[in-house]
Amino acid sequence: MLEKLALHKDNLGNQFYMFCFSLYLIVNFMAGTTLSRALGLGAIVALLRLSQLAALLVFCKIIFFDHHKFNTILAILVGACFLFIVCKQAHELDPFFMYLFIIGAYGIDFKQILNKYILVVLSLLLLVYVAAVLGLVPNNIMWREGAGVIRAGLGLATPSDLAAHVFYLMLAFALVRDFIFSRQEIGFMALIAILIFAITNSRLDAVLMLLLVLVMYFRGPVFKAIKFIGVKGASALVGIYAFGNLLLTYFFDPYDPFYAQLDAWLSRRLLFGKMAFEKYPIHLFGQYIYQNGNGDPRGFVVYYFIDSAYVQALMMFGIVFLLFMLGLLVYLLYRAFKKQYYGLAIAVLLIALSMAVNHHFWHVSYNVSLLALLAVLPTVSDTKYS
């Protein structure tokens, strides 16, 4: 009888988490659309309140449904307090909300989370696209400077956001399928990448999608290479790449021809990161940095935005937070190798690569992979990757 009650409680907790997850996905996604332009700044406040509600409900799930010991709950609260203080200083609460959903995913099947993510985000993408076509929300049209290219967001705040959504959605689908696709399916994925590039002209996201498609096609050799380098090698790659991006930005010289060409290809990401290093000191626990993106609901503003998740982590959230973020990536790699879930290891490396050029690491409507930190992972046998 007690076992049945415990099982019922677990099932109820899982369902409750999936409801909260779906609610937060919707809110987090809609916050990145042009809905705020259509409804005004009050819509942003309403979305923030709904995200806070979803986070509060997940916290209740952690306390009342999960079987955590007192010391574990105490550690969770300490971590939450640390992140809340740091995020409050940076005026950016997404990492705090993500933390709660990571902890709340304890005991949940990760593939169930992936399936829910794909269903909700794909539905929202189609819904926002229809709304943009019907004129219910603005279609953010941009002109790439010096290239004569029109870029469309199709209801997303920026064209780059649309491309990033599609990349992360394709990555989630690859994780569900363990990167096993037929040639026809891989060709269809390649066509999607080409179409999104034609619409958004987001070169860097197009490169990421191309790499993802190549991993699908050359799955066998790529997975063997990942097994060969192991968790230590993969962790070293992530650490070297992250600090390499920080050093490249810190030592950026706009008058050097090599740097200037590289920055032009990176759409001035190095320049804006360098400006942060010059204007603000580096803190242990972060600071507020005023930024304006192309999707600002106030209309035209002077653009300044730090796209690199590594530079953002260091300058906005501080040294301790940066090390914490890298620690999460390393632990995610450790779990992936321990469970022989090499697709997740590939996903972590692709996400780490993308973090130098986009800031969506802490947005759950983009990067759902972080929820694998405590969720139940599938155990995949070696023969599946032969």
Side-chain angles (χ1 to χ4, degrees):
M1 183 66 179
L2 291 176
E3 290 181 358
K4 288 184 178 180
L5 287 174
L7 181 61
H8 177 71
K9 184 179 179 181
D10 289 341
N11 291 334
L12 187 61
N14 292 355
Q15 293 172 12
F16 188 59
Y17 177 85
M18 297 308 292
F19 167 77
C20 298
F21 177 59
S22 299
L23 174 62
Y24 187 72
L25 264 182
I26 294 170
V27 172
N28 194 252
F29 183 96
M30 297 308 294
T33 68
T34 56
L35 180 69
S36 55
R37 289 190 188 180
L39 302 180
L41 292 175
I44 297 177
V45 177
L47 290 173
L48 175 61
R49 295 292 176 261
L50 284 173
S51 64
Q52 291 171 339
L53 173 63
L56 177 62
L57 292 175
V58 165
F59 181 74
C60 292
K61 184 262 182 187
I62 295 169
I63 299 299
F64 298 111
F65 288 96
D66 294 341
H67 306 288
H68 293 306
K69 296 180 180 179
F70 176 77
N71 290 342
T72 303
I73 293 177
L74 189 62
I76 291 170
L77 290 174
V78 170
C81 288
F82 162 73
L83 276 177
F84 183 77
I85 292 171
V86 170
C87 291
K88 199 70 173 170
Q89 287 186 179
H91 294 198
E92 181 61 67
L93 289 174
D94 282 309
F96 174 72
F97 292 146
M98 177 68 89
Y99 171 81
L100 293 178
F101 278 92
I102 289 171
I103 302 298
Y106 174 77
I108 309 290
D109 184 352
F110 181 56
K111 287 203 171 182
Q112 183 182 355
I113 294 174
L114 286 171
N115 285 323
K116 179 67 72 174
Y117 167 86
I118 293 169
L119 175 64
V120 173
V121 173
L122 184 58
S123 300
L124 289 172
L125 274 175
L126 295 174
L127 180 64
V128 170
Y129 167 71
V130 172
V133 170
L134 296 176
L136 300 177
V137 298
N139 179 14
N140 197 2
I141 303 292
M142 296 180 183
W143 183 270
R144 186 178 289 282
E145 184 181 352
V149 177
I150 295 176
R151 311 173 64 210
L154 302 182
L156 275 296
T158 69
S160 296
D161 288 342
L162 172 59
H165 264 303
V166 175
F167 164 70
Y168 278 104
L169 195 59
M170 289 172 62
L171 187 60
F173 190 48
L175 283 171
V176 168
R177 297 282 295 271
D178 297 324
F179 283 80
I180 301 173
F181 294 93
S182 67
R183 289 188 177 182
Q184 291 82 1
E185 290 171 328
I186 294 172
F188 181 68
M189 290 282 192
L191 285 176
I192 291 175
I194 293 170
L195 177 62
I196 293 300
F197 175 69
I199 294 170
T200 66
N201 196 245
S202 295
R203 297 167 302 195
L204 302 174
D205 287 296
V207 171
L208 291 168
M209 284 186 273
L210 175 61
L211 285 174
L212 179 55
V213 170
L214 288 174
V215 171
M216 294 175 184
Y217 189 79
F218 297 105
R219 176 181 172 277
V222 170
F223 275 55
K224 287 179 180 178
I226 287 297
K227 288 179 62 178
F228 176 76
I229 66 174
V231 63
K232 292 182 179 178
S235 300
L237 286 175
V238 170
I240 292 170
Y241 180 76
F243 286 109
N245 177 246
L246 290 170
L247 291 174
L248 188 65
T249 306
Y250 183 81
F251 290 108
F252 170 71
D253 180 3
Y255 301 104
D256 182 282
F258 169 76
Y259 272 119
Q261 184 59 45
L262 180 62
D263 192 43
W265 194 75
L266 294 174
S267 302
R268 298 191 296 174
R269 282 169 168 81
L270 294 177
L271 174 63
F272 293 132
K274 177 68 172 181
M275 290 169 63
F277 279 115
E278 290 180 340
K279 189 174 181 180
Y280 299 95
I282 298 175
H283 291 285
L284 274 177
F285 300 105
Q287 64 200 314
Y288 173 62
I289 296 178
Y290 181 73
Q291 298 177 80
N292 296 310
N294 281 326
D296 197 296
R298 295 168 295 178
F300 176 77
V301 291
V302 177
Y303 182 86
Y304 175 70
F305 198 85
I306 304 171
D307 276 294
S308 169
Y310 300 118
V311 178
Q312 268 200 2
L314 178 61
M315 299 308 298
M316 290 178 59
F317 299 97
I319 296 173
V320 175
F321 182 89
L322 172 65
L323 296 175
F324 167 75
M325 182 179 76
L326 294 176
L328 292 184
L329 288 172
V330 170
Y331 183 68
L332 200 51
L333 285 170
Y334 166 76
R335 291 207 73 201
F337 278 94
K338 184 179 180 181
K339 291 288 186 177
Q340 300 179 17
Y341 190 16
Y342 301 116
L344 180 59
I346 290 287
V348 172
L349 293 178
L350 287 172
I351 289 169
L353 185 65
S354 74
M355 288 167 66
V357 296
N358 76 53
H359 62 287
H360 296 301
F361 181 75
W362 296 105
H363 299 157
V364 75
S365 61
Y366 292 86
N367 182 23
V368 72
S369 299
L370 276 179
L371 302 186
L373 282 161
L374 293 178
V376 177
L377 301 183
T379 302
V380 187
S381 64
D382 287 337
T383 56
K384 195 167 187 177
Y385 297 106
S386 60

